[in-house]
Amino acid sequence: MGLRDWSIRKKLILSNIMMIVIPVVLILIIIGGTVFGLLMIMLPENQANMLFKVDGTVSTYQLQLAFDSMCEKISGKDKEDGNDLTALTNALEKLGASIAVTGGELPYLTDGVTVDEIETEAREIAGATDLENQPLFLRNDRGLVYLMPVTNQTGEKIRLLVVSSEMDFEESSSYAIWDNWDKIKLIIKISAAVVAGIAVVIVVLTGLVLAGKLYKTMIYPIKSIRDGAREIRDGVLDHPVEVYSKDELGEVCDDFEEMRIRLKESVELQQRYESSRKELIAGISHDLSTPLTSIKGYAGGLLDGVANTPEKQKHYLRTIYDTACDMEGLVDNLFLFSKLDMGKMDFQMESIPIKAYLTDFCAEAGLKIQGRSVEIQLDNQLKDKKFVSIDQTQFGRVLWNLLENSLKYAEEKNVKITITLAEEAEKVVLRFEDNGPGVEQEALEKIFDSFYRTDPARSSLKKGSGLGLSVAREIIEGFSGRIYAEASKLGGLAIVIVLPIAED
């Protein structure tokens, strides 16, 4: 799992840690290098000799420690034992050093010499006409000079001067630790400014790099969501929302893409329903106007006396009655579809033997189609008596709808209808097939959609309103069954109804 797949919380924590750790590590490295460089500047290579023995008893390093301890006691920082200062001066005087402490509460001068004599000797060893009042630690072949101005806790100026021309050093070398103090302070200030500038640059660069990484994993998904929202706002639903990661923003992108797909499907479904609704309204308007025109014409003929014989009058009245019955059937079909579509249909379920029911249906259908070139055959392949739970009235509506479809699309040729009963996987399977013109393969799944017609040119309800098979599907699914279409072995269309077997 890559960085872009981490959660936003982990990314922010990592970013904050790196914003602190990286600059701190780099700054410490720079400071360490700077300090090391300063030490190299302040301490020449021959200063390592400070650790060498001076006379077999005292080393230069020990002298430095003694001088530092004297400065602390003179300034008053170390008040633990005042006798230590006397012990240090005695030890240095035994080595041949002359000491002068001027100013403050603890003035000191080596016996037998004056301050001027010590100053003169120090200038001779240092090779200078005047000693500046600044720190100096000098050792050469002429002797040793240590000069340190000190300020005590009360603000008094104290001057410590140690001079020795009698100390015998193993190697003769000249060096001064504090003779360029102003230059050293300048170097420190410049170094501090450089380190601060580099630190700022490091922090800025680190922030930019981490921001660039986070931009790719956080800003891009937000931009993708923003662009997707604008396209949806503008009605463009064909462009997918790109997903750049698997973090929280990636999940939002996934959800947004799912919303876009569902919205697109909803819009397409709404467009299909709208188109079908318009077609239905157009078809209903046409099929209502046609019978109304017929009723109006025949009623006018009766009123105007065109039907001047009892036979004509009876024919006119019969036509008006049949047309009104057709209109009533159309209205009933629309009302039934509306109830089924809203789920407000109450089925009167009964457990009935399916073979006996279909036998009665075939007998009744045979009477209605008597005199027409229609053959209806029932093929029972059930091995024993099977029951199904159905609403007899609504199931009969389904079968009559299938029969009427077969007859309407037969186009006056010899019609052969076969109803086959079989059992598959503890289900009763009913196949209603004919030898009519059939339906194209790509339209088989669509014929059960509301308002769908295989031939859009048929706007008359005489060839179907597009509701019959939709009503049939709603009814069969209300029986916990399913219905689908396939090509018939007779050359036409086969409607297959699958119902669960019920208890007797």
Side-chain angles (χ1 to χ4, degrees), residues 232-431:
I232 291 176
R233 178 198 63 189
D234 297 335
V236 180
L237 301 175
D238 296 326
H239 296 164
V241 177
E242 297 184 10
V243 180
Y244 292 91
S245 61
K246 296 180 181 179
D247 57 7
E248 292 88 342
L249 288 175
E251 293 175 358
V252 173
C253 289
D254 283 333
D255 294 339
F256 206 89
E257 173 64 8
E258 181 67 21
M259 180 189 71
R260 182 195 67 83
I261 293 174
R262 292 187 181 183
L263 183 59
K264 181 180 178 182
E265 293 175 350
S266 177
V267 170
E268 291 175 348
L269 180 62
Q270 182 64 30
Q271 290 174 346
R272 288 198 300 268
Y273 269 109
E274 184 65 18
S275 176
S276 299
R277 184 186 66 83
K278 291 179 180 179
E279 290 182 5
L280 176 65
I281 291 176
I284 291 175
S285 299
H286 178 272
D287 288 311
L288 285 177
S289 64
T290 300
L292 285 174
T293 301
S294 176
I295 291 173
K296 182 179 179 181
Y298 280 104
L302 290 173
L303 293 174
D304 295 339
V306 175
N308 51 12
T309 64
E311 291 79 9
K312 284 186 177 182
Q313 293 174 355
K314 184 176 181 180
H315 173 69
Y316 278 30
L317 291 173
R318 172 56 63 183
T319 302
I320 292 173
Y321 177 78
D322 291 340
T323 304
C325 289
D326 292 340
M327 292 178 63
E328 182 183 22
L330 173 61
V331 173
D332 288 344
N333 204 27
L334 287 171
F335 180 67
L336 175 62
F337 175 76
S338 177
K339 291 180 66 176
L340 290 169
D341 192 48
M342 292 187 296
K344 295 183 178 181
M345 186 68 183
D346 294 327
F347 294 111
Q348 305 298 321
M349 305 298 288
E350 300 178 72
S351 181
I352 62 168
I354 186 62
K355 177 180 177 298
Y357 184 88
L358 290 177
T359 300
D360 293 340
F361 170 77
C362 290
E364 185 177 355
L367 294 177
K368 287 195 174 184
I369 62 175
Q370 194 171 8
R372 301 177 62 178
S373 298
V374 179
E375 178 186 353
I376 299 178
Q377 180 181 356
L378 176 62
D379 180 12
N380 179 31
Q381 299 179 5
L382 296 174
K383 296 181 180 180
D384 51 11
K385 192 174 184 179
K386 298 297 180 182
F387 289 80
V388 293
S389 180
I390 60 173
D391 182 322
Q392 295 191 54
T393 301
Q394 301 305 327
F395 190 66
R397 186 187 296 273
V398 173
L399 296 178
W400 284 112
N401 180 271
L402 298 179
L403 177 60
E404 289 172 1
N405 284 345
S406 296
L407 297 178
K408 280 189 290 188
Y409 292 101
E411 298 179 354
E412 301 300 330
K413 71 175 185 179
N414 293 331
V415 180
K416 183 176 182 180
I417 298 173
T418 301
I419 301 175
T420 304
L421 272 178
E423 179 181 356
E424 296 179 7
E426 298 184 356
K427 305 279 187 180
V428 171
V429 180
L430 185 153
R431 291 176 58 87

Side-chain angles (χ1 to χ4, degrees), residues 8-24 206-207 210-211 214:
I8 294 177
R9 178 174 176 271
K10 290 182 179 179
K11 290 177 183 177
L12 293 176
I13 292 175
L14 177 63
S15 175
N16 292 332
I17 291 175
M18 297 303 290
M19 285 281 287
I20 297 173
V21 172
I22 293 178
V24 167
T206 303
L210 293 177
L214 289 176

Side-chain angles (χ1 to χ4, degrees), residues 29-101:
I29 293 174
I30 294 172
I31 292 175
T34 304
V35 172
F36 180 77
L38 288 174
L39 290 176
M40 292 299 99
I41 293 174
M42 294 164 56
L43 299 176
E45 293 180 358
N46 58 5
Q47 284 183 335
N49 294 326
M50 290 176 64
L51 298 178
F52 294 165
K53 296 290 184 180
V54 176
D55 58 358
T57 305
V58 180
S59 68
T60 305
Y61 177 68
Q62 289 172 318
L63 286 174
Q64 179 68 59
L65 294 177
F67 294 153
D68 290 343
S69 179
M70 291 177 66
C71 290
E72 290 181 357
K73 294 184 181 298
I74 291 172
S75 64
K77 294 181 180 178
D78 184 3
K79 298 180 179 179
E80 292 182 358
D81 190 356
N83 295 326
D84 289 346
L85 179 59
T86 303
L88 287 171
T89 56
N90 292 335
L92 290 172
E93 288 172 348
K94 288 181 181 179
L95 292 173
S98 298
I99 304 171
V101 178

